Amino acid sequence: MPDLVAPVRFALLGCGRFGWRHLEVLQRLPGVEVVVVADIDESRARATADRFGIPAYTTDFREAAAWPGVDAVDVCLPTYLHRDAVTTAAESGHHVFCEKPLALRVEDAVEAVAACEQAGVKLQVGFCRRFDNGWLAAAEVIREGRLGRPVVWRHATGTSGAPQSWFFDRDGGGGPFVDATIHWYDFGRFVFGEVDSVRASTSIMRPGRTAPDTGIVSVRFVSGDELHLMWSWGLPPKVRVDELHEVLGPEGALIMRPRPEPGVDPIRVAGDGVKVFDSVPHANGVDPGNLGYLWLLGRDAAQPVIYQRNDMVEDELASFVQAVRRDQDPPVGGAEAVAALRVATAVLEAGETGQAVSLRTLPALTRRAAR
């Protein structure tokens, strides 16, 4: 079909680690061309253009966002620059893919969305977990009622956090409870519906930071389901702890854990001494070399939930390119981005005040169609 290969010309803003990740993906997509990159560091912009064979570069992200002949702009800049980048691109008539969060303040996110709507351009925000086949498999298990309802989705992790200092600044990246856990807030709305309220206890573990880097967050949904996060970006460099990622319900539990690395003991004990084997038989139609699975622990047995592993970043960018080519609404747009940011800012408020924050006024939920 001709619309599947119609050319889409991109400007990419931000040549950091994730900008390179996006460039690698965009150059794999048929009919996609990146014509200019931007970074405040001229040597990095030049090196990126050389590395990926891109014809032009600039140190001014606004210049790239308004670049003549561009169809779309991919924003991989620090969060505090997102609003300006999105509005500049929209005012230039360019469609926009913007990494999450859309902004640090809800008012700025609303302004960015309005700019895209007024210009008649598409806006997609980088909630890549909406395209993660493992998370989507978990969502299906929950929606089918195999765990019963309500459920408690819990995740705990501890690391040194993001590589640049701006991530830890309240006015730069917002810290992990804005920059990172916003994926959980968005996916929680995707699965459970609207948020009722949030509670949080947050702190700054490492000095010199202005955003909380450590804390406990509880999100309660109108459905009665709950999300509990225990997160820290406050550990020393190269130090991290084992992750906990599970969904608990009255009929069982779902273990959302990665496939073990070679040499790791594949047997562990769950519940009342039930042995769980981290190996699964070949499933018809599933490439065993690209096999992923979750563990569903029921009353009497443990069984794998098999899914095909995928590159969620590639799939989300491909969905944006398709939306541009076919003049369709992107699967994760401005309304979802604003709603998730409202949860994130409520978490910061709850952490500061020690009081629950109500969120019953979030905008209407939209969901990505089943794949």
Side-chain angles (χ1 to χ4, degrees):
M1 295 176 64
D3 63 329
L4 293 179
V5 294
V8 178
R9 292 160 54 87
F10 273 86
L12 182 127
L13 316 185
C15 298
R17 178 173 55 89
F18 221 65
W20 277 42
R21 176 83 168 89
H22 278 217
L23 284 171
E24 290 168 353
V25 168
L26 290 172
Q27 292 197 330
R28 291 200 298 266
L29 297 179
V32 169
E33 181 184 3
V34 180
V35 298
V36 62
V37 295
D39 196 279
I40 194 171
D41 183 333
E42 184 175 5
S43 63
R44 186 162 57 193
R46 184 190 308 112
T48 300
D50 291 344
R51 166 69 175 77
F52 292 93
I54 296 165
Y57 69 87
T58 175
T59 58
D60 184 347
F61 74 84
R62 293 178 181 84
E63 180 184 17
W67 202 262
V70 162
D71 302 300
V73 175
D74 186 352
V75 181
C76 294
L77 296 166
T79 305
Y80 62 91
L81 298 174
H82 284 184
R83 181 199 63 178
D84 289 350
V86 171
T87 55
T88 301
E91 290 166 358
S92 302
H94 301 150
H95 304 294
V96 186
F97 182 98
C98 181
E99 262 308 323
K100 56 73 197 167
L102 183 55
L104 289 173
R105 300 192 314 146
V106 172
E107 295 85 353
D108 290 342
V110 170
E111 182 181 331
V113 173
C116 292
E117 291 175 346
Q118 291 167 9
V121 300
K122 304 183 189 308
L123 170 65
Q124 183 167 332
V125 181
F127 289 111
C128 57
R129 292 297 183 178
R130 295 277 196 114
F131 300 85
D132 181 331
N133 283 350
W135 282 41
L136 291 170
E140 193 65 23
V141 168
I142 295 167
R143 290 175 180 159
E144 289 175 351
R146 298 171 73 181
L147 301 176
R149 296 288 287 273
V151 301
V152 172
W153 180 21
R154 60 181 188 169
H155 183 255
T157 187
T159 72
S160 60
Q164 281 86 38
S165 61
W166 62 263
F167 282 98
F168 303 97
D169 186 85
R170 182 64 181 265
D171 298 322
F177 299 107
V178 176
D179 182 79
T181 57
I182 199 166
H183 281 298
W184 276 256
Y185 311 148
D186 172 70
F187 204 83
R189 292 188 71 247
F190 172 66
V191 178
F192 304 124
E194 300 302 339
V195 173
D196 177 84
S197 60
V198 302
R199 294 179 181 272
S201 174
T202 59
S203 63
I204 297 176
M205 184 175 289
R206 298 185 64 185
R209 297 173 173 180
T210 58
D213 60 15
T214 300
I216 300 174
V217 172
S218 295
V219 179
R220 183 172 180 84
F221 296 86
V222 174
S223 62
D225 302 288
E226 295 185 3
L227 165 65
H228 297 293
L229 301 170
M230 298 179 65
W231 266 66
S232 180
W233 274 5
L235 295 178
K238 300 183 181 179
V239 176
R240 67 181 304 140
V241 297
D242 290 341
E243 289 194 31
L244 171 74
H245 201 187
E246 302 172 340
V247 185
L248 312 179
E251 298 298 323
L254 185 67
I255 312 301
M256 296 174 64
R257 59 194 299 270
R259 192 172 188 174
E261 297 297 326
V264 175
D265 185 356
I267 303 175
R268 61 188 175 85
V269 175
D272 299 324
V274 177
K275 288 184 177 181
V276 178
F277 294 84
D278 284 332
S279 60
V280 294
H282 172 67
N284 291 333
V286 177
D287 175 8
N290 197 31
L291 195 67
Y293 56 93
L294 316 174
W295 274 108
L296 179 60
L297 311 181
R299 294 178 182 270
D300 303 314
Q303 57 182 306
V305 177
I306 302 170
Y307 64 91
Q308 191 78 33
R309 291 178 179 274
N310 69 310
D311 184 333
M312 58 187 174
V313 175
E314 181 169 341
D315 285 354
E316 72 169 348
L317 288 171
S319 75
F320 174 67
V321 170
Q322 178 174 291
V324 169
R325 283 183 174 141
R326 296 184 175 182
D327 192 22
Q328 299 172 338
D329 290 335
V332 191
E336 293 92 336
V338 171
L341 184 60
R342 282 184 168 148
V343 179
T345 55
V347 166
L348 294 184
E349 179 183 345
E352 291 173 352
T353 65
Q355 302 294 317
V357 177
S358 175
L359 280 169
R360 282 184 169 265
T361 58
L362 283 176
L365 173 72
T366 56
R367 282 184 175 169
R368 176 180 166 220
R371 299 177 67 194

